Every structure is written in structure tokens, then in C-alpha cells.
Amino acid sequence: MLQKLILLSVLAFMNYANAQDKAEQALQNFEQKYPQEKIHLLLNKSNYIAGENIWFKSFVFEGYNRSSVSTNLFVELYDRNKTQISKAIFPLYNGEGNGSLSLPETLKEDVYYIRAYTTWMANFSEDFQWIQPIEVYNPASPEKLISDTTSPWSVTVFPESGTFVHGINTQFAVRLQSNGITPSDWSGYVIDSANPDIKIVSFKGFDQNVGSFNLTPESGKKYQLIVQDNKGIKQNIDLPFVSASGLNLQVKSKTNAITYSIQSKNTPHSSYKVLGTINNQLVYKARISNLSNEKTYTIPTDKLVNGILQLTVFDDKEQVIATRLCFVQPQLLNIKQPSIQNVSLSDIPHETNTFTIAKDPNYSNYSVVVLDEESQSTETEKSLLSTLWLTGDITSKIYSPAQYFGKNHNTEALDALLISEKWKRFDWNTLISGSFPAIRYTPESYLSYKGKVSGPSAGSSALNLISKTDQENGTKLYQIPTDDSGIFTFNNLIFEGTMKFFYQLSGKQKTSNATNVYVQPSYTFIPYKSNLPATNFKLAARTPNEPLPVEVAKAVKSKAFEKSISEKINTIEEIRLTGQKKDDKRKLNQQLSSSLFKSISEDIFDFVNDKNTLVAGSNILQFLEGRVANFQMRMSNGSLTPFLREAPVPVFLNEMKIDPSQITNISVADVAMIKVIKDHFIGAGPGGGRQAIAIYTHQGGEAKLSDEELKQLPGLKSITLNGYSKEAVFNNAVYDNASLKDTGKDTRTNLYWNPYLEVKSDTPTTVRFYNNDDAKGYKILIIGFDENDTPLYYYETKP
């Protein structure tokens, strides 16, 4: 979590009047009531063929931590005309989720757009929603995609902190923009319009986004910037008017501290307030009197985190004078790295490749992708790190933002980029005026429905909803109260596809045939109002018999190969796709535990199917010692208390919280299952919890329906509810059956995809995948988060 740093003085701190504290009060209100979510989607590859599936892993953050605000992710697919092609909804667990979208076979070759958002995000600017352009190829289309290298580019200049004052040496950021691709090789120089043949200062662009230069201006002079690319194309732009008075804020971000200085000319104010914010949180506050041009002020970074710091200077009337964005410790990014061991990679077609991730008790799962070395991941251009630390809060178009947080990243270029930007999450003047976002949408609790019971005695009764499905969870009874008008809500459902619910009123009215139930979802897909962004591609006519680009030709063959594999698998009875076999333990977990007590990381002990595991007379909690990593029973406050990962862990009996001392009253013979939850789950109450021990008896969680009631089910009225969208199965086990190794030309680029690779804390984690026909090297991507939400990020090429 972000740690707060409040410095109450730099020179001489003075108490402010209430009116002068408006900024701090408004910011605190905004931070507490309006948490800011942002999304990153990891796709299984960077481009697709019509008819393929798009697989994705979603990460939803609140600031720099995984979000607990939203439990549903909405994903939509649009064409360039903003016509919606498909939409889907997927669950989020502790800010993470995964799913897939199917591309129709009939899609024309073009750029399409994936939109992802949460209901809570819809209360704020659409600019913060995830919009991902993707290239979809279709050789049958009359038009083809080509890179847009002909669209004109434009240039804009930004003086540091927004001011350009006579006699003050000022740093400028020079920013390039284009609807197509900006030039990679460009330079510029500054002239005085009165002496155009003399170059006052020259510079070379850092990258395709930004360059920088310094200039000490003189009043009365008019300066011009000339920028030229490697094709000789020039752009001229006037620098801002040189002011005879004003204030300039200059900032340097170093490893141990952020330093800043404030220089002024002929300003009427005697004192200033400086506020520093990270992720809408106040982390620095100072009062400066008797301003001196020689003084440099220091903000230690030891209590801050990586992220964008906004420094704002206010005058004594609490008016914004200057602002500046900088990145905290860009030279020292807090990114953890996995230890990759036992690497066994081959370039022989169809061979098995393996590597292991060393055991680490701080992680419960990883997202892992392996690509052919010659292919590209979407992470190459827009990485999780760049979303987390930059583009999730900065909405302007940035070419390849991942470069600012990769290996050998240019910290000088990142700083110049931030000089050219403003903080987009809030505006100080708007906050101080008391204007806050209007909240129209509240987060749902997973799948939620609202309904009404009509008919005699419908009000103030209990409605029995009975689910009966072919899925694992079998038959369950939900008893839901209704108000005087027969209105009810039905929350916290997690299921895929559709589910039928039979209904009846409880008590005397339950057999009434005059009762009807009407239900509608509480969640809704929210229309997208903004324009879709421009892309780096355009369409051109495809000529007859034109050869396909190499990458597209490989993708077409890969699609045919995967179809052939799928057809063969369906004819071989003994082949079972990885992860699809449902064992007795999993069935028991589905039967006994509700959606509120499901977690992405849990250890399950099954005493129904393995009757010899828990012996008579043993203590239920002590049984877990030695079987669950980092679990211990300790004396605490005079009683024996369970600890998991060095913290007391709550105990639930049939999903009701109990004191651990009550466990001794439970008969061992009554225990059906013990589940040790190691990651976020909803059942702990508001906000959920991170870990728990859930004990289930043979009656706990089972549907309490009599034989007679079960016989009545076909005769009861029913409703059908829509659940989450189903995720397509990704086949990592391509050649588990040796007879499949002779199936056509294998040109797959995505060799392994696992958005949730479960980790055992006491053993290494093995990744196993099969080679295609051509790969000589592999790109390996691993993403994870520890309990403090510190990102683990590994993106390397292995020969």
C-alpha cells in the first residue's frame, strides 16, 4: 500500500486558516469517496485471424494496488465505426480475472477495438477505460492492413511547470503526435525570429514521443522551434510569450530524494504552499516564505513508492501558480523477479520444453505466456508496468509506453514526457470549488439480480429459489426475503452460461400456483460515447494473387493446424484437455462451499472420498500443521490460535465465523471438508478477506430439500438467469498424444498460455509446453503480485 509522507515544514511552517486548507480538505474527500480504478489486459498474442479466439488476463487496480472495489469486468469488441460486435462479462477475484472473446469468421481485415471497464469506472471519464486496438487479418477481404507511415505528425512544446519567465533558465519538453507513426529519428533547434540564421540551442529527440532542451529567455524576444525528421519534413512552432514576471518550478527526481527549486520574478506574493500528491493522496506539504533563488528543497523518497508525483505551487490566495509531474525513483523500479531454474528448451519440432519457477511463499499464482521468439506480445508496446505507473492515469497517446519501464529505460526521456503532461485524474480548481463526480453506478457484488414476486401473499414472505443444473454444484436452495411489495434482491452468484431456478414461496403459500417471479440483472453494459482512438494502420486495396505477409501467412496456417488438432482430439476418446477433468474433491468443494468462499488459492482436504485422512480423536486444526505451508498453532492471549503466514487466521464453520476454541466441540466424524483459503474471498464481510480456515460438516452447505420437494421440481415454475461468459479452452497439451505430432505444419506463435498458474509455496512451479515446427528461441512472460501488491514482472527471450 502507498505509504503517507507528510512534511509539515521546509522553511517555516505556519498554521493555515480554514479557507487556505480547502485544497487539502477537497483532496481528502476525493481520495476517500472516489477511488480510481484502472485496467490492464494481457492478451495471448498481438494480432489475430478472423475466426480465432482472443484470450486475455485482466488486472484491475485501485491506484497502485489490485482493486477490491469491483467484482465484474465488462469486455466489448468494436469495429472502427464503433459498431459493437460482441460483449461479455467476467468475474474478478482480488482485482484479477481471465476470459476469452471469439472473433467471427466473417470479420473483414481491419483494426478492431477491445473495450474493458468496470461499473465503477463508468462514473468517471471514459478516457480511463481500457481501449486496445488489435489487428485482425482475413486474406479473403478486399482490403488489407498496412502501417500508416504517411500521416502527418505535429509538434507541441511545454515549458517546465507551464511558465516561461525572463531570465530564468527553463527546460522545455518537445512532444510529437500523429494519427499514424511518429518519426523515430528527429531533431530540432531554437531561433530568435529576429535572427533566424543563428541556432540558439539544438537537440535530438529521445524517442518517437519526446525530446528536450533548455533556454534562458529574454523579454521582448520571440522564439521559434524548428523540428525536422529524417525525411527532411519540417515543422515550425512559436515558443510561448516571454513573461516579465512569474514563477518557475524546477524538479529533479533522484534515487534518494526528489529536489525542487522555485524561482520567481516580480511576483506579488510573499509566501507559497507546495503540495505533493501520488495517486490522489497527499504525500507532501510545505510552506515557503521569503523565496530565494538559491534554495533547493528536498523530499526524501524512502517513504514513497514508484509512481507519478504531482507537485503543485499555490499562492497565499490558494490559486494554482505552477504544477509539475515527475516519476518517483525511475532509476530504482520496485519490480520483483522470479528465479528461473532447470531450463530445458529445444529447437526440435514438437519437442517438450520445460522450466521451473523457484518456490516463493509470497505468491499464490502467476500469469505465464510463452511465445515464439519471432512473434510479438502486446506487452512489448503497452506493458502492465506502463499501465500501472503511466498510461492508467495519463490519457494522451504515447507511442510504446512500455519502453519507459523496460530494460535500459531512459529516465531522462520519461521525465521530459511528464513535463509535457498534466495529471488527468483531477483538477485542483474543480476540487477546491467543491465539484465532485456524480455517482450514477455502484459496484455489484458479482452477479446480482433484482426481482418482484407477484400474486397472493407475495409481500413480506420468503422466496425459495432452487437451482438444478448439470454443472458441478448440483441442487441448492436459496431462501430470499421479500419486502411488503414483493421486491427482492439476489446477490453474489458466480456461474457460467445459464442456470435455471425453480421457485416457490416458503410457508403456507409455497404451493400457490398463482405466484409469478420477474427478475432482471442489477448490472448493465454501459454504452461507449467517446470516439475510438486513431491507430498506426490504414487500409489499402488488396491485389489479386498478392502474397500474404510472412506473419499473416503463418497465422493462417496456425489456425488451420489448431482446427485439425481439435478435430483429432475430439475423435480420440482418451485425450482430455488439461484442467478439464473434474475430480471428486473439486465436486465436493463446489457442493459444500458457496461463491462467497471461493478463492483463486485454496488448499482442500476431502474427508468424504478419503476417509482415512482425518483419524478419530485428532484435533481438526492441529491436523493442518505440517500439511499447510506457513500454518502453525500458537498460544495467543491464553488460548491456542491458528496462524497462517505469521498472522492469526479466522475460522469458519459452514461459512459462519466461530471462535477457534469451539473447534473442540465438533465431532471428527462430522467433518466433510476443510478448506484453507490463501487469497482474497468475499465471505469475510465488507471488502472481503485474504485468508481463512473453512470447515464444513456433512450437512454444511448442502441443499436441504426433502425427497418430496425434489420430486416436485419439474412441476414448479422456473426462471432462467444468465451467468458469466464462458471462457474457451486453450490447448497447452498439443502433443500429449504422440499420434498428433504428424498433424500438418505447426506454426503456432503462442506456445503456452496460463492466466492462472497455481503455485505451491513449498515446491517449485513447473511450466511445460511443446515446440512448433520453426521456433529457435522463446519469449517468456511471467507476471505476479505478492501480498503487498508489489509487481513481479519477467519478460525475457531465451535462445
Side-chain angles (χ1 to χ4, degrees):
M1 295 294 290
L2 183 62
Q3 302 178 64
K4 292 189 176 183
L5 170 65
I6 306 296
L7 300 183
L8 298 183
S9 65
V10 171
L11 291 179
F13 178 79
M14 298 171 58
N15 290 328
Y16 298 110
N18 288 336
Q20 291 175 309
D21 282 332
K22 273 188 174 181
E24 295 94 305
Q25 293 172 0
L27 179 66
Q28 184 180 29
N29 188 22
F30 185 71
E31 176 203 350
Q32 292 176 349
K33 296 182 179 179
Y34 304 94
Q36 307 288 289
E37 287 188 318
K38 51 191 171 189
I39 291 174
H40 182 78
L41 289 191
L42 166 65
L43 305 186
N44 66 306
K45 57 181 184 175
S46 61
N47 52 64
Y48 297 86
I49 298 293
E52 285 190 306
N53 289 316
I54 300 172
W55 281 276
F56 63 84
K57 172 67 179 281
S58 59
F59 300 89
V60 180
F61 300 99
E62 181 193 343
Y64 299 131
N65 301 284
R66 288 175 295 173
S67 177
S68 60
V69 175
S70 298
T71 58
N72 292 330
L73 181 73
F74 299 86
V75 183
E76 300 166 353
L77 183 67
Y78 293 88
D79 66 15
R80 68 164 63 233
N81 297 316
K82 216 170 74 171
T83 300
Q84 189 179 91
I85 296 169
S86 62
K87 61 182 180 181
I89 179 173
F90 301 94
L92 294 169
Y93 304 97
N94 195 28
E96 297 185 24
N98 48 274
S100 64
L101 293 175
S102 178
L103 296 172
E105 291 276 0
T106 56
L107 277 186
K108 295 180 180 179
E109 183 163 321
D110 205 348
V111 172
Y112 293 83
Y113 296 84
I114 299 175
R115 177 198 181 200
Y117 61 97
T118 66
T119 298
W120 180 251
M121 291 176 69
N123 293 303
F124 308 95
S125 170
E126 287 184 326
D127 292 341
F128 297 111
Q129 297 178 14
W130 178 270
I131 301 292
Q132 174 73 49
I134 56 166
E135 304 123 62
V136 177
Y137 295 96
N138 187 342
S141 292
E143 293 183 303
K144 63 180 180 179
L145 282 174
I146 60 173
S147 295
D148 183 359
T149 58
T150 59
S151 288
W153 49 268
S154 61
V155 60
T156 315
V157 290
F158 301 87
E160 185 173 16
S161 77
T163 59
F164 194 35
V165 183
H166 168 77
I168 298 179
N169 186 269
T170 302
Q171 183 180 0
F172 274 83
V174 183
R175 186 75 175 269
L176 297 189
Q177 296 280 4
S178 174
N179 284 336
I181 299 175
T182 51
S184 57
D185 185 6
W186 60 282
S187 59
Y189 58 90
V190 177
I191 61 170
D192 177 356
S193 297
N195 298 288
D197 296 329
I198 300 175
K199 297 180 181 178
I200 300 173
V201 61
S202 300
F203 67 95
K204 184 174 177 59
F206 292 125
D207 51 43
Q208 288 178 265
N209 295 308
V210 70
S212 178
F213 66 88
N214 279 69
L215 179 65
T216 302
E218 297 179 25
S219 294
K221 289 190 175 182
K222 184 179 180 182
Y223 297 96
Q224 270 196 331
L225 170 68
I226 293 88
V227 173
Q228 179 174 310
D229 66 14
N230 58 350
K231 297 179 180 178
I233 299 173
K234 288 185 178 181
Q235 293 273 347
N236 290 20
I237 185 171
D238 292 334
L239 267 59
F241 173 77
V242 181
S243 176
S245 63
L247 178 146
N248 183 254
L249 171 65
Q250 300 182 3
V251 180
K252 299 293 181 185
S253 184
K254 303 175 183 178
T255 301
N256 298 322
I258 292 170
T259 62
Y260 69 92
S261 62
I262 301 175
Q263 299 183 57
S264 65
K265 292 281 186 180
N266 305 318
T267 55
H269 307 286
S270 59
S271 63
Y272 298 91
K273 178 170 64 177
V274 181
L275 298 182
T277 60
I278 297 179
N279 183 38
N280 303 340
Q281 183 182 106
L282 185 65
V283 297
Y284 178 81
K285 176 178 176 179
R287 169 80 174 212
I288 298 176
S289 301
N290 302 319
L291 193 63
S292 168
N293 289 338
E294 303 299 325
K295 183 69 176 178
T296 297
Y297 309 99
T298 300
I299 306 173
T301 55
D302 59 332
K303 294 183 180 179
L304 300 180
V305 297
N306 290 135
I308 296 175
L309 170 70
Q310 178 182 212
L311 279 177
T312 307
V313 180
F314 298 84
D315 64 18
D316 50 12
K317 303 292 185 184
E318 209 157 50
Q319 298 295 312
V320 174
I321 301 298
T323 62
R324 168 74 147 92
L325 301 184
C326 71
F327 194 85
V328 178
Q329 294 184 307
Q331 313 89 342
L332 191 63
L333 298 177
N334 186 19
I335 307 169
K336 293 190 175 182
Q337 293 283 311
S339 176
I340 306 300
Q341 303 172 342
N342 305 318
V343 179
S344 177
L345 302 178
S346 170
D347 60 3
I348 300 174
H350 308 172
E351 281 298 298
T352 304
N353 299 297
T354 59
F355 62 87
T356 60
I357 306 171
K359 62 181 180 180
D360 189 334
N362 296 307
Y363 297 89
S364 61
N365 72 92
Y366 301 110
S367 301
V368 182
V369 187
V370 180
L371 299 169
D372 184 316
E373 180 184 20
E374 296 182 356
S375 64
Q376 291 293 329
S377 165
T378 53
E379 291 291 299
T380 303
E381 181 178 346
K382 194 175 184 180
S383 69
L384 177 136
L385 300 177
S386 64
T387 299
L388 182 65
W389 287 329
L390 182 62
T391 56
D393 300 304
I394 301 299
T395 58
S396 59
K397 182 179 178 179
I398 300 174
Y399 182 85
S400 190
Q403 65 183 299
Y404 298 110
F405 306 101
K407 279 189 173 181
N408 304 315
H409 57 280
N410 188 334
T411 59
E412 194 177 358
L414 175 59
D415 191 61
L417 184 78
L418 290 176
I419 288 177
S420 71
E421 290 287 356
K422 289 184 177 180
W423 184 248
K424 302 295 175 61
R425 288 293 184 177
F426 69 83
D427 173 76
W428 274 117
N429 292 327
T430 302
L431 284 191
I432 293 172
S433 71
S435 178
F436 293 95
I439 300 302
R440 295 168 293 169
Y441 308 103
T442 56
E444 312 85 10
S445 183
Y446 291 102
L447 294 178
S448 303
Y449 298 86
K450 52 190 175 184
K452 180 177 175 61
V453 180
S454 67
S457 305
S460 296
S461 61
L463 176 69
N464 291 331
L465 288 176
I466 306 162
S467 69
K468 184 171 174 53
T469 174
D470 293 334
Q471 298 181 12
E472 299 167 340
N473 34 340
T475 303
K476 286 189 177 181
L477 170 66
Y478 304 85
Q479 195 166 74
I480 305 167
T482 66
D483 66 12
D484 292 342
S485 301
I487 304 296
F488 66 89
T489 58
F490 193 18
N491 300 324
N492 296 312
L493 289 175
I494 302 177
F495 65 94
E496 289 185 338
T498 60
M499 184 178 291
K500 180 177 287 189
F501 289 83
F502 299 91
Y503 63 83
Q504 61 180 196
L505 292 179
S506 62
K508 296 179 181 179
Q509 296 83 22
K510 71 179 184 179
T511 58
S512 172
N513 292 325
T515 300
N516 289 297
V517 172
Y518 305 94
V519 179
Q520 65 181 20
S522 300
Y523 63 87
T524 182
F525 288 84
I526 299 167
Y528 185 63
K529 298 177 182 178
S530 302
N531 293 324
L532 293 168
T535 73
N536 302 333
F537 293 87
K538 63 181 181 181
L539 290 170
R542 176 176 271 124
T543 58
N545 302 319
E546 178 181 349
L548 295 175
V550 174
E551 187 175 11
V552 177
K554 286 180 64 175
V556 171
K557 291 179 181 178
S558 176
K559 178 186 171 185
F561 167 79
E562 290 178 3
K563 181 180 179 181
S564 176
I565 285 284
S566 178
E567 290 172 350
K568 286 199 172 186
I569 287 176
N570 289 335
T571 63
I572 302 175
E573 184 177 355
E574 67 269 20
I575 294 293
R576 293 291 182 269
L577 295 180
T578 302
Q580 295 304 292
K581 184 177 181 180
K582 305 205 168 47
D583 56 22
D584 292 337
K585 182 189 294 185
R586 186 175 178 186
K587 288 181 180 179
L588 184 68
N589 183 31
Q590 291 288 349
Q591 179 185 5
L592 295 182
S593 60
S594 72
S595 59
L596 298 180
F597 280 74
K598 294 290 198 309
S599 171
I600 58 177
S601 178
E602 51 189 27
D603 290 344
I604 298 171
F605 298 90
D606 177 358
F607 306 119
V608 173
N609 302 294
D610 187 2
K611 299 183 182 299
N612 297 321
T613 303
L614 187 61
V615 297
S618 63
N619 182 287
I620 295 172
L621 292 179
Q622 288 179 327
F623 163 82
L624 298 176
E625 286 190 292
R627 292 178 171 87
V628 177
N630 301 310
F631 177 84
Q632 288 182 320
M633 295 295 294
R634 301 180 188 173
M635 291 300 297
S636 177
N637 297 322
S639 62
L640 203 58
T641 303
F643 278 73
L644 183 61
R645 296 171 179 169
E646 300 299 321
V649 56
V651 178
F652 294 82
L653 177 63
N654 295 330
E655 303 190 352
M656 297 292 292
K657 191 172 182 180
I658 63 171
D659 188 279
S661 62
Q662 296 178 255
I663 295 299
T664 56
N665 299 324
I666 302 173
S667 170
V668 169
D670 289 338
V671 177
M673 181 179 75
I674 301 177
K675 179 158 63 171
V676 180
I677 299 174
K678 297 180 177 180
D679 211 322
H680 188 267
F681 73 108
I682 304 301
R690 281 293 186 119
Q691 55 186 29
I693 296 172
I695 301 171
Y696 295 85
T697 62
H698 286 286
Q699 296 301 312
E702 297 175 2
K704 299 178 178 62
L705 299 178
S706 67
D707 291 341
E708 185 62 30
E709 286 174 316
L710 286 172
K711 290 178 183 178
Q712 291 178 10
L713 286 182
L716 295 177
K717 293 181 180 180
S718 67
I719 55 174
T720 300
L721 300 183
N722 292 319
Y724 288 111
S725 305
K726 290 185 177 181
E727 180 181 3
V729 176
F730 189 95
N731 184 15
N732 284 314
V734 180
Y735 297 122
D736 270 6
N737 187 291
S739 67
L740 298 176
K741 292 190 175 184
D742 297 325
T743 306
K745 177 73 172 177
D746 183 356
T747 59
R748 291 172 301 124
T749 57
N750 187 187
L751 305 177
Y752 183 84
W753 168 259
N754 194 335
Y756 177 74
L757 176 61
E758 187 174 0
V759 172
K760 299 296 183 183
S761 59
D762 55 344
T763 58
T765 302
T766 300
V767 175
R768 173 175 169 268
F769 64 96
Y770 288 100
N771 198 4
N772 61 16
D773 280 339
D774 303 315
K776 305 301 179 184
Y778 308 93
K779 289 179 178 175
I780 299 174
L781 173 68
I782 304 172
I783 297 174
F785 288 90
D786 63 15
E787 291 183 340
N788 296 317
D789 280 331
T790 303
L792 174 145
Y793 195 86
Y794 178 92
Y795 187 26
E796 300 285 347
T797 299
K798 295 285 187 181

